[in-house]
Each structure stands twice: as structure tokens, then as C-alpha cells.
């Protein structure tokens, strides 16, 4: 009897250490689940708020007398130094075995930086030579390009909710483009310039979509780091290369000679001119961190959908800050964008719930197998 009591007590003691890990296994996926949604929410706020603010400040720059294409391109990447402190706060603990070669990283960041320089410059030419309506309509095609690149490069699966989201957001952006027929740019000239602007904007949309898909692919195949420092690195180093390329273009084109005159003739004064450029650079960096964060956490297609969501947000903010007219078409465009956004979010909610359910079942089966082995 005494031996039986000792054996029974031994079995109880063996079970007790295993009960805590089983509880932790149930709690840990749930904690990761909420942390993931929190990170995605923060990145969405960064992207939408940063892109909307940067667009409004960029509009203010041109409205008040700015006209340098290379300067407008320069400020989109020149704000990267404000992210340098994040490298120290979110330092990576990657081992040498998993760290990519330095030559590979240098090539990767240089290629992405040059790609961004050309992409931003093509957008500048498109905005210069096209009406705003045509420019906005062509920019909306980046969703279609991104869907194609994501399918071939990132194995993106398409469901009815995702397709519904893409269609609604594209229609929303197209409505805004058609509704802005009265807005034109001062750079519109001959038919040749119109064709150049058309091709540049179309090429920029395709290039930007390719960039998003390649960034996602590099995170999976090359970087292989599930840390925020990987996102910061992907923003800082290509931005540095893109900024250097813009400086070369600014001096090579001779536009730097007109900057002092542009500053003097700026309607709001020199201080306002500098602050406009500085805050444009800062807000573009905030937007880029949100963009890369969504690529890292979800996919390039999702980041592009959220980026397109910001297009209807800009007219709403323009009504508040610039007292623009809000008509029925803009309201419909906003509602369509929200509908498309919720459709895409719901699809990811279904995927996340299914994944969470599978993890719970796997944990439960693991716990049951441990109990059987103990008994």
C-alpha cells in the first residue's frame, strides 16, 4: 500500500509541471494574436495618416509657388535620418548563420533605392504633364499591377472578398479621378508631353507595384528576420540611396540654380517654404514605415489596398483644411473605399480565425497526447 501511495504521488507530481505549460500554450497564441492586430493597426494609421498629410502638404507646396520636380522627388526620401534612432532602440539579435551577406544587402538596398528614385521621378513627370484626373486614374492601376506581381512573386491567393475589395477601391479612385476634371496642371502642353506623362505615370504605377512585391519577397527569401529593425533597415538604406540619386538629378538637371529664387518668391515666405519641405519629408517617412510594416506583417497587396484607401481620405481632409467642396461623388467614393477596406479586412479576419483555430486544435491534441503518455 505504501508503494502504491508513492507511485500515485509520483504520477501527480509528474502531471503538475505539465499543466502550466499547457495553460501557457493556450495563452501564448492568444497574446500573439492581439499583438499582431495591434501592430497592423498602428501600421495602417501610419500609412493612411502619413500619406494623406504628405499629399496635402505637397499640394500646399505647389499651390504656393513651388515648381521643382527634383525637389518634390527629393523630399519623398530625404527624411530617413529621423528613423536612425530606431536602429538603436530596435537593434537586431540575428545570428551570423541567418544574417545575409553584406554584399547581398548592399546590392539589395542599392537596387531598391534606385528603383524608388526612378519611380518617384516618373510620378513627378506624370503630375507635371497630365491633368490631375488622368493622373489619379492611372495611379489607381497600381492595384491591378500589384495583384499580378503578388500572384507570381508572392503566391498571393485571390478570394471573392479580396477581388471585391480590389474592384471597389479601384472604382472609388476612378470616381475621384473623373470628378476632378476641372483641376489641371500648369505643365500641360503639347500632345507629345501628354504622351510622356501618360507613359511615365503608367510605368510608375507598375514600378511601384513591382517594388512592393519585391520587398515582400526579400523579407521572406533574403532578410529572414521577423523584427521591426528589418522594416527600419528596409526604409533607411534604400531611402539613403534614393536621396543620393535625387541630389545627383537636382544638380545634373540644373534645377538647383532656381531654388533660391523659388524660396524668395514663395507666397508664404522662406520659413514656410522650408517647413513645408521638412514636414513633407517627415510625413513621407511615417507613411513608408507603415507601408513596409504592412508588407512585413501581411502582404504587399494588403499594403497597396490600404494605400489606395488613403486616396478618398485626402478629399475629406481637403474639405477641412483647404475648404474644398464636398459633392455627392466624393461621398460615394469614400463609402466605396470603406466598403472595399472592410471586405479585405474581413477576409484577413477569416484567415486569422482559421489559423488561430488550427493552432488551438494542435495545442489541444498535443496536451491530450501528453496526458495519455503520463497515464
Amino acid at each position: 500500500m505504501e508503494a502504491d501511495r508513492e507511485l500515485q504521488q509520483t504520477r501527480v507530481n509528474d502531471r503538475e509541471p505539465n499543466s502550466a505549460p499547457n495553460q501557457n500554450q493556450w495563452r501564448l497564441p492568444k497574446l500573439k494574436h492581439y499583438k499582431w492586430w495591434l501592430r497592423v493597426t498602428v501600421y495602417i494609421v501610419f500609412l493612411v495618416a502619413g500619406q494623406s498629410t504628405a499629399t496635402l502638404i505637397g499640394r500646399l507646396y505647389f499651390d504656393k509657388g513651388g515648381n521643382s520636380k527634383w525637389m518634390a522627388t527629393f523630399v519623398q526620401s530625404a527624411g530617413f535620418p529621423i528613423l536612425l534612432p530606431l536602429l538603436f532602440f530596435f537593434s537586431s539579435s540575428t545570428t551570423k548563420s541567418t544574417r545575409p551577406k553584406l554584399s547581398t544587402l548592399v546590392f539589395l538596398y542599392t537596387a531598391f533605392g534606385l528603383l524608388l528614385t526612378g519611380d518617384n521621378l516618373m510620378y513627378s513627370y506624370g503630375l507635371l504633364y497630365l491633368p490631375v484626373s488622368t493622373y489619379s486614374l492611372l495611379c489607381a492601376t497600381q492595384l491591378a499591377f500589384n495583384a499580378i506581381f503578388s500572384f507570381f512573386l508572392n503566391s498571393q491567393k485571390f478570394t471573392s472578398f479580396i477581388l471585391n475589395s480590389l474592384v471597389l477601391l479601384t472604382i472609388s479612385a476612378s470616381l475621384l479621378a473623373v470628378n476632378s476634371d476641372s483641376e489641371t496642371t500648369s505643365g500641360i502642353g503639347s500632345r507629345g508631353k501628354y504622351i510622356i506623362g501618360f507613359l511615365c505615370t503608367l510605368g510608375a504605377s507598375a514600378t511601384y507595384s513591382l517594388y512592393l512585391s519585391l520587398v515582400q519577397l526579400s523579407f521572406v527569401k533574403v532578410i529572414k528576420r521577423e523584427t521591426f529593425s528589418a522594416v527600419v533597415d528596409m526604409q533607411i538604406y534604400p531611402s539613403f540611396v534614393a536621396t543620393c540619386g535625387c541630389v545627383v538629378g537636382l544638380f545634373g538637371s540644373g534645377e538647383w540654380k532656381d531654388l533660391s529664387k523659388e524660396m524668395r518668391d514663395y507666397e508664404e515666405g522662406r520659413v514656410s517654404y522650408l517647413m513645408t519641405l521638412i514636414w513633407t519629408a517627415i510625413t513621407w517617412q511615417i507613411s513608408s514605415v507603415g507601408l513596409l510594416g504592412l508588407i512585413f506583417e501581411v502582404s504587399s497587396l494588403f499594403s497597396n489596398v490600404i494605400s489606395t484607401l488613403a486616396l478618398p481620405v485626402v478629399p475629406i481632409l481637403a474639405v477641412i483644411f483647404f475648404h474644398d467642396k464636398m459633392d455627392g461623388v466624393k461621398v460615394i467614393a469614400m463609402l466605396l473605399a470603406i466598403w472595399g477596406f472592410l471586405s479585405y479586412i474581413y477576409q484577413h479576419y477569416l484567415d486569422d480565425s482559421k489559423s488561430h483555430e488550427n493552432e488551438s486544435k494542435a495545442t489541444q491534441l498535443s496536451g491530450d497526447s501528453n496526458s495519455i503518455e503520463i497515464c
Side-chain angles (χ1 to χ4, degrees), residues 335-355:
L335 294 176
L336 287 175
I338 295 175
W339 184 9
F341 170 74
L342 293 177
S343 178
Y344 202 90
I345 286 292
Y346 183 69
Q347 177 60 52
H348 279 277
Y349 170 76
L350 293 178
D351 295 339
D352 184 71
S353 299
K354 184 177 180 180
S355 176

Side-chain angles (χ1 to χ4, degrees), residues 54-284:
T55 302
L56 292 174
I57 299 177
R59 173 182 167 180
L60 180 66
Y61 167 75
F62 287 109
D63 285 350
K64 300 300 180 180
N67 54 18
S68 174
K69 297 185 301 294
W70 277 107
M71 179 56 69
T73 305
F74 173 81
V75 295
Q76 295 184 44
S77 58
F80 72 90
I82 66 174
L83 302 178
L84 291 176
L86 297 179
L87 290 179
F88 301 97
F89 287 106
F90 298 96
S91 58
S92 175
S93 58
T94 309
T95 60
K96 290 184 178 180
S97 59
T98 59
R99 185 180 302 169
K101 293 182 180 179
L102 180 61
S103 58
T104 302
L105 291 177
V106 170
F107 173 79
L108 188 69
Y109 294 145
T110 302
F112 282 152
L114 295 177
L115 193 66
L116 285 176
T117 304
D119 180 64
N120 293 334
L121 183 61
M122 285 190 290
Y123 273 131
S124 299
Y125 271 99
L127 189 58
L128 177 64
Y129 293 141
L130 290 179
V132 176
S133 59
T134 306
Y135 172 80
S136 300
L137 182 60
L138 290 175
C139 286
T141 60
Q142 70 187 35
L143 271 178
F145 286 118
N146 192 229
I148 296 173
F149 290 130
S150 295
F151 179 78
F152 288 104
L153 297 178
N154 311 124
S155 301
Q156 175 71 49
K157 296 181 180 180
F158 291 99
T159 65
S160 58
F161 288 108
I162 291 179
L163 292 176
N164 179 64
S165 176
L166 295 179
V167 171
L168 290 173
L169 288 168
T170 303
I171 293 175
S172 175
S174 301
L175 283 175
L176 289 176
V178 173
N179 191 50
S180 57
D181 286 333
S182 59
E183 301 178 16
T184 56
T185 58
S186 58
I188 299 174
S190 63
R191 180 176 176 81
K193 290 183 178 181
Y194 182 89
I195 295 176
I196 292 175
F198 185 92
L199 294 178
C200 285
T201 306
L202 199 63
S205 298
T207 303
Y208 184 71
S209 300
L210 177 62
Y211 164 75
L212 295 180
S213 297
L214 289 176
V215 167
Q216 181 181 353
L217 185 65
S218 66
F219 274 133
V220 176
K221 300 294 185 181
V222 181
I223 305 299
K224 297 179 181 180
R225 281 189 291 161
E226 297 184 358
T227 60
F228 185 76
S229 63
V231 177
V232 177
D233 291 342
M234 185 59 71
Q235 176 59 24
I236 289 179
Y237 298 119
S239 294
F240 172 75
V241 176
T243 302
C244 293
C246 291
V247 171
V248 173
L250 188 64
F251 282 91
S253 63
E255 287 188 2
W256 65 276
K257 299 177 182 179
D258 300 326
L259 292 181
S260 58
K261 181 179 181 299
E262 181 178 287
M263 184 184 300
R264 288 195 307 268
D265 298 340
Y266 198 70
E267 294 182 13
E268 301 296 326
R270 297 186 178 185
V271 176
S272 179
Y273 177 83
L274 293 175
M275 294 302 296
T276 299
L277 295 178
I278 291 173
W279 281 107
T280 302
I282 292 175
T283 50
W284 274 123

Side-chain angles (χ1 to χ4, degrees), residues 299-356:
S299 68
S300 62
L301 183 59
F302 180 78
S303 65
N304 212 340
V305 169
I306 301 301
S307 178
T308 308
L309 175 69
L311 293 178
V313 173
V314 173
I316 302 298
L317 297 177
V319 171
I320 299 174
F321 295 104
F322 292 94
H323 305 290
D324 285 0
K325 181 181 178 182
M326 172 59 70
D327 53 19
V329 175
K330 291 183 180 180
V331 174
I332 294 175
M334 184 66 181
L335 294 176
L336 287 175
I338 295 175
W339 184 9
F341 170 74
L342 293 177
S343 178
Y344 202 90
I345 286 292
Y346 183 69
Q347 177 60 52
H348 279 277
Y349 170 76
L350 293 178
D351 295 339
D352 184 71
S353 299
K354 184 177 180 180
S355 176
H356 183 63

